[in-house]
Amino acid sequence: MGANGSGNGAAGGWSPGLRESALFDRNAIAEIQRKAREGIYDIRGFGAKRKVPHFDDLLLLGASVSRYPLEGYRERCDTSVTLGDRFAREPIELEIPITIAGMSFGALSAPAKEALGRGASAMGTSTTTGDGGMTPEERGHSDKLVYQLLPSRYGMNPDDLRRADAIEVVVGQGAKPGGGGMLLGQKISDRVAEMRDLPKGVDQRSACRHPDWTGPDDLEIKIGELREITDWRVPIYVKMAASRPYFDVALAAKAGADVIVLDGMEGGTAATQDVFIEHVGIPLLAAIPEAVESLKDLGLHRKVQLVVSGGIRSGADAAKALALGADAVSVGVAAMIAIGDNDPALEAEYAKIGTAAGFYDDWQAGQDPAGISTQDEALAARFDPELGGRRLANYLRAMVLEIQTLARACGKSDVRNLEPEDLVSLTIEAAAMARVPLAGTKWIPGLDEDD
Amino acid sequence: MSTETALEVVDLSQTSVRELNQRLHDAASGGPQAWQVVHPGGLHSIAAGLDAPLDVDIDGHVGYYCAGMNKEATVRIHGNAGVGLAENIMSGSVVVDGDASQSAGATGHGGLVVIRGNASTRCGISMKGVNIVVGGDVGNLSAFMAQKGALVVCGDAGEALGDSIYETHIYVRGSVASLGADCIEKEIGEFHAGELSGLLEESGVDADPGEFRRYGTARRLYNFDIDNAGDY
Ligand SMILES: Cc1cc2nc3c(=O)[nH]c(=O)nc-3n(C[C@H](O)[C@H](O)[C@H](O)COP(=O)(O)O)c2cc1C
């Protein structure tokens, strides 16, 4: 999809007599016209573009007379987190509570994956493989690498499994709960084709269900097999899309997951139907309290760690997610932007492919002028992985400073001491979903007085 | 003390699967190469993750994921196998005397899986280079999204054989209840005749290669085409 303005009036400005329909706005009209021409749904990258209740609808309560704050910069505010100490002999120790989400080689170029590894390693955190397997560049540049086991099993092999620092069983992704994947033929280079055991240039469909297990009882046995193959060394995560998190989290935890990765409907994707991105799943804000309640009901909160993702942009978003009870957050789209996606310096290049910096989301098409979401060698060669890595590290560093600033203001010596009591909501919707009171009231819609 | 040539016997009514697997994994760097497992009792993940040319005989029935992700080892199951037999096998061979449950050989990248009895649904699902030979029948949706390798069925095949198939070669001696999307019957040329008789011979399954028919991809779903939308 190209650039779309918003607001009233014709392109170029409002003039008297022009009134845009709220329902049939320019996006809706353009999409009807496109469907009529092409006869197919829109596939794109990025995450949901519609507005959903989000962390912007929450505020933190800084300390005052009734609480006292910690001294900014001087008093310690710990950011480290251990993931997967429930069953694994070697849990993952992260220095910061932000990880890099699974993004496949195939969706991203090899140098882009390298940049993610460099930036994350500089900050003492982990990166994650994706659909398509593990590349040597990625393993080489990521001190801590999480290896995904996806339904497609593209590139899955036991050597990489044993080389990984953690294994993530992917049940679903926030951008497409219940959906599989598709890497379009134009992104299938020789190398991608070989890693996935498919002919070059064909669409690579990824199944939506795992080939060798179905329900939660099977999942428990599957996790057992992965532990056996890796001699119970590394943690096993289960990643799921947020749709019925209370039950899904409980079943995954019961099946033996060390870590739950919960991806809200805002979560990014490399290539998914727009209708899926915008209309399936629940916002992260609503999902975290359900997941935390589920873990608490099992006596497993903080024992099975909760990593959350979906639309995390800033330290403020992360701090609020931690306050709701997550142990860490994960970023996808933000990491891509940090390493150079949607860079205004490429404006002329974006214009050539009918889009604009700040709007580019055709990550499925493989024409990325920044050399990130592409397998075109010439485009990928433009991307500097060292610079990208430095930018990612800078971005993560700034985010961590933001989280610490907010945590200290709330009087916390550890970012994970942030709690729901530190939050209020700006809207009734967010108050109901996040289960924190509407600012200035004690009101949490949906909770009885004695809850 | 065992020597390299002695047969190492492990009794799973006395020893845990964890201990067995650890010993089998440790054997990659030396130690006994021939193993016999008794009283497997349908336990899961027996001999999963082997990474050396070991020889493992299992006397009885096994549960899920027996010989999962096998590399190099030869594993023989003198009984039936549960779900996900030899899933994601890379190399070596896994032979079952009896029947195998769902998803046998799922996503296997290489090696050989032989099921002398019948295999249930989704046999060879998403297979990526493994060869699978089934002495009896296979269930519905076998070779679903199968990418590479060959599936040989000496009996009958269930519904939707080879649905959304990529480049796997399927050979069936008996009847096929139905073919899945983009799967069609194809000629058996010289290459395929050789592949089929080679696999029958290698797996020690007695069947006349001349009685088989071959199925494979029509390559109509390889790149999205709106006119085929109903087939996806
Ligand atoms: C380019 C791209 C590729 C992705 N590939 C995968 C993948 O292979 N496997 C997966 O589980 N999730 C994948 N995701 C989803 C991310 O792991 C994560 O859930 C999501 O990006 C989080 O939301 P955010 O982008 O708003 O931070 C991908 C996301 C993007 C942006």
Side-chain angles (χ1 to χ4, degrees):
Chain A
M1 284 198 134
N4 284 301
S6 63
N8 208 358
W14 180 81
S15 48
L18 298 184
R19 180 173 175 193
E20 184 171 29
S21 163
L23 276 183
F24 288 83
D25 64 9
R26 273 167 283 174
N27 285 316
I29 289 174
E31 183 53 13
I32 292 170
Q33 292 163 339
R34 192 201 56 75
K35 283 193 187 107
R37 270 195 318 274
E38 299 173 12
I40 184 180
Y41 42 53
D42 183 32
I43 293 184
R44 65 171 176 87
F46 218 91
K49 293 193 166 180
R50 61 148 68 197
K51 192 163 169 49
V52 293
H54 194 60
F55 297 110
D56 282 343
D57 300 320
L58 302 182
L59 294 172
L60 286 152
L61 298 175
S64 178
V65 182
S66 59
R67 307 272 189 284
Y68 74 91
L70 297 187
E71 203 62 69
Y73 303 104
R74 258 183 286 142
E75 281 177 307
R76 196 177 159 75
C77 179
D78 203 358
T79 61
S80 63
V81 49
T82 302
L83 299 181
D85 51 358
R86 186 186 185 194
F87 292 119
R89 278 191 285 122
E90 295 176 14
I92 293 222
E93 311 279 350
L94 301 178
E95 287 169 38
I96 62 172
I98 311 164
T99 69
I100 306 302
M103 292 185 270
S104 64
F105 168 68
L108 300 192
S109 65
K113 288 295 279 178
E114 178 183 330
L116 296 177
R118 285 176 178 272
S121 299
M123 292 302 291
T125 191
S126 59
T127 63
T128 313
T129 66
D131 217 354
M134 184 190 288
T135 64
E137 292 96 326
E138 184 171 29
R139 178 63 280 188
H141 290 284
S142 298
D143 289 347
K144 300 180 178 88
L145 181 58
V146 182
Y147 185 43
Q148 289 196 329
L149 181 94
L150 294 117
S152 72
R153 309 282 164 89
Y154 289 138
M156 169 51 55
N157 77 67
D159 297 332
D160 288 340
L161 207 61
R162 286 183 278 257
R163 259 194 283 274
D165 300 299
I167 298 164
E168 183 168 300
V169 179
V170 179
V171 180
Q173 212 184 306
K176 46 182 169 183
M182 171 85 99
L183 191 64
L184 294 181
Q186 57 264 40
K187 282 182 84 170
I188 315 298
S189 64
D190 288 331
R191 184 171 177 201
V192 172
E194 192 190 320
M195 276 180 73
R196 298 181 183 215
D197 297 290
L198 281 170
K200 194 183 170 191
V202 311
D203 296 344
Q204 299 190 347
R205 294 157 277 170
S206 297
C208 65
R209 294 196 304 259
H210 280 263
D212 58 351
W213 65 270
T214 36
D217 297 335
D218 284 5
L219 174 59
E220 181 171 356
I221 304 172
K222 187 73 202 172
I223 289 176
E225 184 208 9
L226 296 170
R227 291 200 193 281
E228 282 302 316
I229 293 172
T230 53
D231 294 331
W232 291 69
R233 189 173 63 79
V234 299
I236 299 188
Y237 304 3
V238 173
K239 174 175 177 174
M240 60 179 70
S243 50
R244 295 178 186 85
Y246 182 84
F247 299 105
D248 296 334
V249 166
L251 291 168
K254 202 189 140 282
D258 292 302
V259 174
I260 309 278
V261 181
L262 180 67
D263 196 22
M265 63 81 69
E266 311 91 325
T269 173
T272 298
Q273 298 90 328
D274 176 82
V275 71
F276 229 140
I277 299 176
E278 300 285 355
H279 298 280
V280 188
I282 67 171
L284 188 56
L285 188 71
I288 299 175
E290 274 202 60
V292 170
E293 184 190 10
S294 175
L295 290 172
K296 282 188 172 158
D297 286 352
L298 293 169
L300 290 174
H301 187 226
R302 305 284 185 218
K303 295 188 179 127
V304 169
Q305 287 80 29
L306 180 65
V307 178
V308 301
S309 58
I312 304 277
R313 304 154 300 176
S314 63
D317 289 345
K320 293 168 190 176
L322 297 178
L324 288 176
D327 293 274
V329 303
S330 194
V331 292
V333 167
M336 286 182 63
I337 294 171
I339 64 173
D341 173 75
N342 269 294
D343 185 346
L346 297 167
E347 196 65 88
E349 304 263 348
Y350 285 123
K352 278 189 215 155
I353 52 172
T355 180
F359 298 89
Y360 180 56
D361 61 12
D362 278 328
W363 296 343
Q364 80 292 346
Q367 299 172 309
D368 185 354
I372 296 171
S373 62
T374 184
Q375 293 302 320
D376 181 296
E377 276 181 25
L379 290 174
R382 292 177 177 185
F383 180 80
D384 176 351
E386 277 183 49
L387 179 63
R390 266 203 307 281
R391 289 196 170 146
L392 179 62
N394 283 343
Y395 166 67
L396 292 173
R397 196 171 288 121
M399 258 182 103
V400 173
L401 287 172
E402 288 181 336
I403 302 172
Q404 285 175 310
T405 300
L406 296 172
R408 284 199 188 93
C410 294
K412 313 295 183 186
S413 60
D414 187 310
V415 295
R416 285 194 302 162
N417 291 347
L418 286 163
E419 54 192 323
E421 199 265 337
D422 295 313
L423 293 169
V424 291
S425 165
L426 284 170
T427 68
I428 295 171
E429 288 82 355
M433 291 182 191
R435 304 183 192 174
V436 300
L438 189 65
T441 77
K442 292 182 181 144
W443 187 38
I444 302 178
L447 286 198
D448 296 334
E449 289 279 304
D450 46 329
D451 266 349
Chain B
M1 270 314 283
S2 57
T3 66
E4 300 240 343
T5 47
L7 180 68
E8 190 76 11
V9 179
V10 179
D11 182 348
L12 283 181
S13 67
Q14 307 294 318
T15 306
S16 66
V17 171
R18 176 77 287 265
E19 190 181 333
L20 166 69
N21 286 339
Q22 189 66 59
R23 291 179 64 197
L24 290 168
H25 296 170
D26 292 345
S29 42
Q33 302 294 296
W35 295 73
Q36 185 183 14
V37 178
V38 298
H39 300 125
L43 290 166
H44 305 310
S45 307
I46 294 175
L50 302 191
D51 192 13
L54 307 178
D55 223 83
V56 182
D57 272 273
I58 304 172
D59 292 337
H61 307 310
V62 295
Y64 283 43
Y65 310 129
C66 182
M69 301 211 188
N70 188 60
K71 274 182 72 190
E72 298 186 58
T74 301
V75 179
R76 288 181 221 88
I77 299 150
H78 306 292
N80 301 323
V83 171
L85 168 78
E87 63 88 17
N88 213 80
I89 178 174
M90 304 302 292
S91 61
S93 66
V94 175
V95 184
V96 183
D97 288 347
D99 298 332
S101 183
Q102 298 176 48
S103 304
T107 78
H109 285 69
L112 177 68
V113 176
V114 181
I115 298 152
R116 297 199 192 284
N118 303 309
S120 181
T121 51
R122 297 188 278 177
C123 178
I125 182 171
S126 255
M127 54 193 282
K128 295 167 170 50
V130 64
N131 292 318
I132 303 176
V133 179
V134 181
D137 306 334
V138 296
N140 297 344
L141 274 167
S142 288
F144 174 63
M145 291 181 90
Q147 298 172 215
K148 270 190 189 171
L151 171 65
V152 179
V153 181
C154 300
D156 303 331
E159 302 280 353
L161 178 70
D163 193 277
S164 304
I165 187 170
Y166 290 99
E167 296 292 312
T168 290
H169 306 154
I170 304 178
Y171 305 91
V172 183
R173 185 165 65 167
S175 65
V176 173
S178 69
L179 292 173
D182 214 26
C183 186
I184 53 170
E185 183 168 355
K186 295 185 149 185
E187 303 257 293
I188 300 195
E190 205 175 314
F191 169 82
H192 297 103
E195 177 178 63
L196 174 59
S197 34
L199 285 172
L200 288 169
E201 196 181 316
E202 191 184 345
S203 54
V205 170
D206 186 21
D208 175 1
E211 293 171 4
F212 286 76
R213 298 166 83 162
R214 178 167 86 90
Y215 306 87
T217 180
R219 300 194 181 88
R220 278 194 321 123
L221 300 184
Y222 272 18
N223 292 100
F224 188 86
D225 178 346
I226 187 60
D227 294 326
N228 294 331
D231 293 337
Y232 282 90

